Amino acid sequence: MPTAISEKELLDDLNGWYQAEAPLIDKACNLKGGGWEQWAIVQFLFWQTAHRGAQAPSYQREYIAPPFPERAFDIAYNMPKDVLVDSHHPLILTQWKALRDGNAASMGAQTDIGTLQEVRRVLGKTVQIYPMLVILSPQEVGFPGRGVVGPLSAGGVRLYVSSSGTFPG
């Protein structure tokens, strides 16, 4: 049975995955001929569910929030049909970017911040929501309240995550 996960547990999982899989993340980043975002999402979910075992979190990929049919969130955690959503275990909506170009990742982050703020404003009236950006890039990525998880990997890919400073209020 899926379990609820807190924001801190998700951040711990991201850090653990990044530390354990940095060489593989670097290799995926350097593959030629296509994007690696979907690979990163699936690879993280494989690692997370294996790492958590019987405590695997409730999640859904490509989650569409009811009032926003045009927007799918990469991973949503704590699905209300599976677990009790409350202030300790909010509905966590993540948007991922895996881009070699830091400027493109920064611009994508700004777009995702706006979308996540709007969804939190609308859906937050009926359910606790925690928005989160997850960005992988070998170049510097800028957005408000960003944090860098773990040390820089050998190949130079950084893992950036949002914080409460990214989504004030």
Side-chain angles (χ1 to χ4, degrees):
M1 171 151 203
T3 61
I5 188 172
S6 70
E7 309 94 271
K8 182 181 180 326
E9 290 169 317
L10 179 53
L11 286 171
D12 289 347
D13 286 354
L14 285 164
N15 188 39
W17 169 67
Y18 178 75
Q19 297 302 320
E21 302 293 339
L24 194 57
I25 294 167
D26 288 339
K27 285 180 184 178
C29 172
N30 290 313
L31 289 174
K32 297 193 184 320
W36 52 296
E37 179 177 311
Q38 292 304 313
W39 172 89
I41 292 167
V42 170
Q43 165 57 340
F44 172 69
L45 286 170
F46 279 149
W47 183 92
Q48 185 181 45
T49 54
H51 175 73
R52 290 190 159 271
Q55 299 299 311
S58 163
Y59 74 89
Q60 180 179 326
R61 286 194 57 217
E62 298 299 319
Y63 173 73
I64 297 175
F68 299 92
E70 72 287 348
R71 187 67 161 143
F73 296 91
D74 293 318
I75 309 172
Y77 288 93
N78 300 332
M79 302 311 300
K81 65 182 177 30
D82 295 335
V83 299
L84 175 63
V85 175
D86 59 22
S87 61
H88 299 293
H89 298 101
L91 175 62
I92 302 171
L93 300 176
T94 70
Q95 285 297 99
W96 287 59
K97 295 279 178 271
L99 296 166
R100 288 174 201 81
D101 182 337
N103 289 329
S106 297
M107 290 181 357
Q110 295 303 322
T111 299
D112 287 344
I113 288 169
T115 300
L116 286 162
Q117 286 175 323
E118 177 66 10
V119 169
R120 186 174 73 169
R121 186 184 65 74
V122 172
L123 284 183
K125 295 174 183 173
T126 58
V127 65
Q128 292 281 331
I129 297 199
Y130 186 86
M132 182 182 289
L133 289 177
V134 179
I135 301 176
L136 293 160
S137 181
Q139 294 184 351
E140 190 72 21
V141 176
F143 59 90
R146 75 181 177 125
V148 180
V149 175
L152 185 65
S153 70
V157 174
R158 295 173 181 93
L159 172 62
Y160 296 92
V161 294
S162 57
S163 70
S164 59
T166 308
F167 303 101

